[in-house]
Amino acid sequence: MSLLRTKPINADMYCDTGLRRCLTAFDLTLLGIGAIIGAGIFVLTGIAAATKAGPAIVLSFVVSGFACAFSALAYAELASSIGGCGSAYGYAYAGLGELVAWIIGWDLILEYAVSNMAVAVGFSAYIDSLLRGFGLHLSNRWTTPTYTPATGWTTHYNLVGFIIVMLLTVLLVVGIRESAGANTIMVAIKLAAILAFVYFGSHFIKPVNWKPFMPNGWQGVLTGGAIV
């Protein structure tokens, strides 16, 4: 039964990790905001509104907000009672046992690896779109795979995605304070973009487009909430 052994719930025993505490509450808050506001808010919101929820997308955000709040409260409770730097791994070790914690630890590594690649590919597509706006064009050979009926999918080396991953890796290696500073800048840019969108978009509001408010009923609202 050693695979199911647990660690005692004692916040103090997880604090002696040798890691220097150099982040303030403000830094941690911005790290959380940076993780919450991803590229999806600029893309998926429109898709959810157009295909699922309609004007009731506002209710979709309320529903998803409640779901996020429950998750946040659960993590807050675990962090205050157990603490440490292991996140879900440490919490599972204390509550469910070593075997479950080992599985969750590897799941986290896989999650970060897969999401890392997906974000890099998405970033490459955004860079390509940005350069197209200035009349420049990156060859598909260095950005995205192409498809033709004759040859099928032609895989290429995503150079732009590789470069951004390497730059961020160097930033993380340099230090956590520098990483937090870069995150602060990126969060400020994202918040500014969202506020600018809300401001300029508010000038084009037409209440006549709010009918029907829920074209697909509550199913559309819940599906839209899952997307956003």
Side-chain angles (χ1 to χ4, degrees):
M1 297 298 293
S2 61
L3 289 177
L4 300 179
R5 61 187 177 186
T6 60
K7 287 186 176 181
I9 299 179
N10 183 352
D12 295 334
M13 69 174 293
Y14 294 96
C15 294
D16 188 16
T17 61
L19 298 176
R20 183 166 56 92
R21 297 190 178 188
C22 55
L23 296 179
T24 64
F26 180 74
D27 294 327
L28 294 174
T29 300
L30 290 182
L31 283 173
I33 295 175
I36 292 170
I37 304 178
I41 196 171
F42 301 106
V43 179
L44 297 179
T45 302
I47 295 176
T51 63
K52 303 298 181 183
I57 186 71
V58 292
L59 298 181
S60 297
F61 272 98
V62 173
V63 171
S64 59
F66 272 107
C68 293
F70 287 130
S71 177
L73 290 173
Y75 267 92
E77 185 71 20
L78 290 168
S80 62
S81 60
I82 299 176
C85 303
S87 183
Y89 168 81
Y91 307 150
Y93 208 145
L96 301 174
E98 184 175 7
L99 177 61
V100 176
W102 183 84
I103 295 173
I104 290 178
W106 278 106
D107 284 342
L108 288 173
I109 293 176
L110 291 173
E111 174 194 350
Y112 292 139
V114 173
S115 62
N116 183 39
M117 292 182 289
V119 171
V121 171
F123 181 86
S124 176
Y126 286 136
I127 290 293
D128 189 31
S129 299
L130 178 64
L131 292 179
R132 286 175 185 269
F134 292 99
L136 302 175
H137 174 63
L138 291 176
S139 171
N140 287 335
R141 181 180 180 183
W142 304 112
T143 54
T144 57
T146 56
Y147 176 83
T148 60
T151 61
W153 284 103
T154 303
T155 57
H156 298 295
Y157 186 74
N158 198 320
L159 181 63
V160 178
F162 173 78
I163 290 175
I164 186 59
V165 170
M166 289 299 100
L167 289 176
L168 293 177
T169 300
V170 171
L171 179 62
L172 290 171
V173 170
V174 169
I176 187 63
R177 285 295 309 166
E178 291 76 11
S179 301
N183 176 75
T184 300
I185 296 173
M186 289 187 286
V187 168
I189 293 173
K190 289 192 286 188
L191 290 177
I194 293 175
L195 292 176
F197 179 83
V198 171
Y199 173 75
F200 290 107
S202 64
H203 293 78
F204 297 92
I205 294 178
K206 297 179 180 180
V208 67
N209 294 327
W210 298 352
K211 299 178 180 180
F213 184 69
M214 298 171 59
N216 296 312
W218 280 105
Q219 180 179 355
V221 172
L222 296 178
T223 304
I227 293 175
V228 300

